[in-house]
Amino acid sequence: MSKSNYYEGITLDLAFGAAPSGFTRTNGNRWISLHTADPGEDGTTAEASGSGYARAAYNAGSGWTRTANSVTNNAEITFAQLTGALGPITHFAVFDAVTAGNCLYKGAFATSRSFLSGDVPKINANGLTITEE
């Protein structure tokens, strides 16, 4: 069994867009995490740590563009400047809180990347697409 296209859209709107009529979003941000392996279903596996790493806040209401059953970030997602090396980063996850919280979505980057001390990790605009299937 799968969701209808309509309900896939509502699910994406709740997570990333304007809350549909009759629904309430719990906060205005989503937090993007970086991982060195598949985060798992709850997002707790292999999240980067140390070296000044922190999840990046990204606006849930205006930061995403939804087309059918996908959303894409419409601006750059910028993390804090690192104080040490980090990586290789192979995956990401989207959370509803800056620490702990609930993992909403997860996925793999097309290519892995390592970062050095002083780097500012970024995901370019239109660089992260999340699809409901």
Side-chain angles (χ1 to χ4, degrees):
M1 181 178 299
S2 67
K3 293 179 194 161
S4 68
N5 289 339
Y6 167 78
Y7 198 66
E8 288 172 352
I10 286 178
T11 301
L12 289 168
D13 285 344
L14 281 170
F16 301 104
S21 178
F23 292 89
T24 303
R25 179 181 296 107
T26 58
N27 57 50
N29 281 328
R30 294 293 170 249
W31 284 267
I32 313 303
S33 61
L34 300 175
H35 296 257
T36 59
D38 186 331
E41 286 300 310
D42 63 1
T44 60
T45 302
E47 183 169 359
S49 64
S51 301
Y53 165 79
R55 293 177 185 170
Y58 195 71
N59 188 283
S62 62
W64 304 88
T65 300
R66 181 166 74 89
T67 305
N69 65 337
S70 295
V71 293
T72 303
N73 62 311
N74 56 27
E76 185 176 82
I77 299 170
T78 305
F79 294 80
Q81 185 175 22
L82 299 175
T83 59
L86 189 67
I89 300 300
T90 60
H91 290 72
F92 69 90
V94 179
F95 282 85
D96 63 1
V98 67
T99 59
N102 300 294
C103 180
L104 306 176
Y105 291 90
K106 66 181 185 97
F109 290 113
T111 58
S112 66
R113 179 153 182 222
S114 293
F115 298 94
L116 302 174
S117 181
D119 285 349
V120 177
K122 297 176 185 178
I123 300 172
N124 292 331
N126 304 310
L128 190 61
T129 298
I130 297 165
T131 302
E132 277 282 328
E133 297 178 5

